[in-house]
Amino acid sequence: PRAHIGLDRRAVVGPVRRRTFGSFVEHLGRCVYTGLYEPDHPTANEDGFRTDVVELVRELGTTTVRYPGGNFVSGFRWEDSVGPREQRPVRRDLSWHSLESNQVGLDEFAKWLKLTGSELMLAVNVATRGILPALDLLEYANHPSGTALSDLRIANGTPEPHDVRMWCLGNEMDGPWQTGFMTADDYGKIAARTAAAMKAADQDLELVVCGSSGSGMPTFGDWERTVLEHSYDYVDYVSCHAYYQVHDGDLGSFLASSVDMEFFIDTVLATADHVGHKRQSKKRMNISFDEWNVWYLEEHKASDEVNDEWRHAPRQLEDVYTVADAVVVGNLLMTLLKRSDRVTSASLAQLVNVIAPIMTEPGGPAWRQTTFHPFSITSRLASGEVLRPVIDAPTYLTARHGEASLVDAVATVDGDRAAVFLVNRDLTENAQVTIDLHGLAATRITETLTLADADPYAKNTLADPLRVVPTANTGAALADGVLTVELPPVSWTAIALG
Ligand code: AHR
C-alpha cells in the first residue's frame, strides 16, 4: 500500500505524559520471586534484587509501576508484607491458586523501584477488606512520622515516607473471577466512601476507580456510569483494562487491536463526561489505562502449572511474544499517546515473566522479549507534545474490528526534535509512506528503527534471546520537508528527527 501522512505543528493532542509509560508488578507467578527478586542469583544485590533485571527495566523506560495487583490485591492483607521477614506469614493466594511468602512487600518493592527510577502506584484491597485497612496502609506509606503506623514503617527500616500519589481503589471489581467481586452499585458506594476517607487524609491523592475489565464485559458502559454516579466527586481517574490476542489465526484482526482500544477509550470518556455533565461538575475525569497488553489467556488455561497443589512462584502466564505481538504492543502504545489529552496514565501489564517484556531464568539470564523494543524505543524517543496526524491510507476489512487503516501513525514534537511512530498492518506487502513535515523544525533524520521479520511469528527465547531485534531502516530519507520510508509487512517503525 501507499500512504500519505500529514503532520501539522498546530494539531496538538496534548503533552507526552511520562505516566503513559507505566507498567505493573503483581505478586503472580514468577513476576516478583525469581523475576525481580532472587537472593541467590549471581547478579543479586544486598537486598536480593537481580541487577540484570534492574538494568533491563531502566532500558525499558518504565515510569509508574502499579503494585501489588491485579487480582492478587483482593485477597491481600498489606500488614503481612512489612516488618521482620522471618515473622511474615505464608498465605494462600486464591486468585492465582498459589502461595505467597510475603518476603517482598511494600518497603522492599519501593526500594527496588528507586533502583529503576520509577514511581510507585499502589492498589488497596476494597474487595475483601475495607476503609480502615486502606487508611492504615495510607498512613504507613505516606505519613512522615509521629503516628503509630508511620513510626512502625520507620522502625521497619524506612525512615522516609513513600509519598505514593496514585492509588487504585481495588481491581477489576466487575469480574466474576475477582475475589469479592461486586455489582456496580455496591462497588460505586464502597469506592466513593473509601476515596472520601483517603482524601480526608490527603486531598492531593490521585485516586483511580475501577472501570470495566474489558470492552467485551456484559456490563461495559453501564458499569462506568453507575460507579461514577456514586464516586465522581471523589476520584480522579477511571481505569480501563484491555488484552488482545490472535484468535483462530486471524492476524489481520489482531493487528487492528488498536481500533478496539480507541473505541474503548472513546466510550468510557463519553460515559464519564455524561455523568460529569449531569452532576454539573467542573471536574474532567481522566483514564488510567492501567492494564494493557497482548495476552494468550485461553491458551494458559490448558498449560499453566496450576493444579491442586499450592506452590510458591509457579510458572504462570509466561507468554512468549512474536514479532506480530510486538507490532500490536507498539500500536497500542501509539493509541495511548494519541489520546494523551485524556489518557494520562497507563500500565503495560506486566513487567517481568508474567505476560511481560522481560523474561528471566532462575539462576540464569534475563532477556528482552519482542514487545520490549517498541515500548523501550517509544519511551526514549517520545517527548514534548503529541501531534494528531492526518493519515491517508488504504483500509482493510477485519472480522473483529471492522474497517482498519493498513498504516497507522502518531508523532511527537519537542522543540526542534520530533519522532514519528508507524505500523504497517499489511500481511504481505511493504507500505510506501510519505510524511509531510512542513511546519516542523526538524531538518534531518537522527535515528530509524524497524521491528519486522520474514516470519511474523518469530520470538526471542532462552535458547535464542536475540532472534528478533530492531534494525535501522536504511531507506528512510528526508528531502524538502518530506520524509519517505518503506515499512515491511507486519512491522513497527520509529523515526527520530532533529
Ligand atoms: O495482569 C493479569 C491479570 O489480568 C490481573 O491480575 C487482573 O487484574 C487481570 O484480569
Side-chain angles (χ1 to χ4, degrees):
R2 287 184 180 279
H4 182 75
I5 296 168
L7 293 178
D8 183 337
R9 180 64 188 87
R10 293 162 302 180
V12 174
V13 176
V16 174
R17 318 246 181 198
R18 292 316 302 167
R19 280 181 176 162
T20 300
F21 304 100
S23 186
F24 175 30
V25 165
E26 178 165 3
H27 281 255
L28 192 185
R30 300 193 307 114
C31 184
V32 173
Y33 305 106
T34 74
L36 53 97
Y37 177 77
E38 190 179 343
D40 298 334
H41 192 271
T43 72
N45 70 6
E46 65 282 8
D47 294 315
F49 292 122
R50 289 181 62 149
T51 55
D52 58 345
V53 173
V54 169
E55 274 166 34
L56 285 177
V57 173
R58 292 183 71 92
E59 184 187 326
L60 185 64
T62 55
T63 50
T64 307
V65 181
R66 182 168 176 252
Y67 177 84
N71 297 339
F72 170 81
V73 83
S74 296
F76 183 50
R77 300 168 175 92
W78 70 267
E79 302 87 332
D80 289 347
S81 76
V82 298
R85 275 186 161 138
E86 62 285 0
Q87 291 170 22
R88 297 186 193 175
V90 174
R91 297 268 190 201
R92 296 185 310 180
D93 167 23
L94 302 188
S95 58
W96 301 108
H97 202 84
S98 53
L99 294 180
E100 173 54 51
S101 67
N102 284 303
Q103 291 305 292
V104 172
L106 170 60
D107 294 325
E108 292 84 20
F109 185 69
K111 208 168 177 187
W112 179 80
L113 269 185
K114 285 213 170 76
L115 300 175
T116 70
S118 304
E119 175 194 6
L120 177 58
M121 174 181 182
L122 270 184
V124 296
N125 176 357
V126 298
T128 59
R129 299 203 77 192
I131 299 173
L132 201 54
L135 293 177
D136 285 349
L137 175 57
L138 178 59
E139 181 187 328
Y140 183 92
N142 281 8
H143 197 81
S145 66
T147 66
L149 293 170
S150 58
D151 287 346
L152 178 63
R153 183 196 70 242
I154 294 166
N156 287 341
T158 307
E160 293 302 318
H162 297 300
D163 194 25
V164 180
R165 294 291 97 208
M166 282 193 81
W167 296 76
C168 303
L169 301 164
N171 177 70
E172 295 192 347
M173 296 299 299
D174 60 332
W177 57 84
Q178 197 71 216
T179 311
F181 69 93
M182 294 177 195
T183 62
D185 206 43
D186 287 346
Y187 172 65
K189 287 177 190 162
I190 285 188
R193 292 178 197 139
T194 308
M198 289 176 77
K199 287 213 169 163
D202 179 350
Q203 62 180 1
D204 295 330
L205 296 179
E206 297 172 62
L207 302 182
V208 186
V209 76
C210 291
S212 294
S213 309
S215 61
M217 294 297 288
T219 51
F220 176 53
D222 277 342
W223 174 273
E224 280 77 0
R225 182 181 50 73
T226 308
V227 166
L228 287 172
E229 276 168 354
H230 288 294
S231 63
Y232 199 93
D233 296 345
Y234 309 104
V235 302
D236 308 279
Y237 300 83
V238 57
S239 73
C240 294
H241 291 182
Y243 293 99
Y244 300 96
Q245 70 169 96
V246 183
H247 292 277
D248 305 321
D250 179 4
L251 205 50
S253 286
F254 175 58
L255 289 166
S257 296
S258 276
V259 175
D260 176 73
M261 185 185 246
E262 279 169 24
F263 158 79
F264 194 173
I265 291 169
D266 288 345
T267 310
V268 170
L269 288 176
T271 307
D273 290 346
H274 165 79
V275 175
H277 185 72
K278 260 180 42 182
R279 303 183 66 76
Q280 299 185 316
S281 173
K282 291 202 172 64
K283 182 199 282 188
R284 210 171 61 147
M285 193 66 55
N286 286 327
I287 288 179
S288 167
F289 216 117
D290 48 40
E291 286 187 33
W292 68 272
N293 204 349
V294 172
W295 177 10
Y296 288 85
L297 179 55
E298 291 306 314
E299 285 74 348
H300 287 289
K301 289 188 179 146
S303 64
D304 279 0
E305 284 183 3
V306 182
N307 48 38
D308 286 343
E309 277 178 59
W310 292 90
R311 299 169 63 166
H312 180 245
R315 288 184 186 261
Q316 286 177 308
L317 319 191
E318 299 200 3
D319 282 32
V320 180
Y321 290 117
T322 66
V323 169
D325 295 333
V327 172
V328 169
V329 164
N331 199 179
L332 294 170
L333 192 50
M334 286 161 52
T335 304
L336 294 170
L337 281 171
K338 276 192 205 183
R339 300 314 309 269
S340 64
D341 52 337
R342 303 288 298 273
V343 181
T344 55
S345 184
S347 308
L348 175 72
Q350 298 191 7
L351 188 54
V352 186
N353 287 331
V354 172
I355 45 173
I358 298 169
M359 296 301 289
T360 70
E361 195 54 26
W367 65 97
R368 301 166 190 80
Q369 294 236 47
T370 56
T371 54
F372 181 99
H373 297 290
F375 190 99
S376 155
I377 295 164
T378 310
S379 177
R380 178 167 61 81
L381 295 181
S383 71
E385 293 177 309
V386 182
L387 298 187
R388 186 181 302 106
V390 178
I391 302 172
D392 184 8
T395 59
Y396 68 117
L397 191 60
T398 70
R400 294 182 78 87
H401 308 301
E403 200 87 4
S405 176
L406 279 170
V407 172
D408 196 16
V410 71
T412 65
V413 59
D414 191 359
D416 56 5
R417 287 187 304 135
V420 187
F421 305 96
L422 301 134
V423 290
N424 178 13
R425 295 173 176 150
D426 198 299
L427 300 182
T428 52
E429 302 285 323
N430 285 352
Q432 320 288 339
V433 183
T434 54
I435 306 170
D436 196 335
L437 298 179
H438 292 305
L440 266 64
T443 54
R444 66 194 179 91
I445 296 172
T446 54
E447 192 175 355
T448 60
L449 288 165
T450 288
L451 196 83
D453 198 280
D455 175 10
Y457 295 101
K459 301 169 175 181
N460 292 338
T461 58
L462 174 61
D464 194 359
L466 298 175
R467 167 72 179 79
V468 180
V469 289
T471 54
N473 190 313
T474 47
L478 175 57
D480 302 328
V482 177
L483 179 63
T484 50
V485 62
E486 194 163 306
L487 310 176
V490 192
S491 65
W492 175 92
T493 293
I495 302 173
L497 304 156

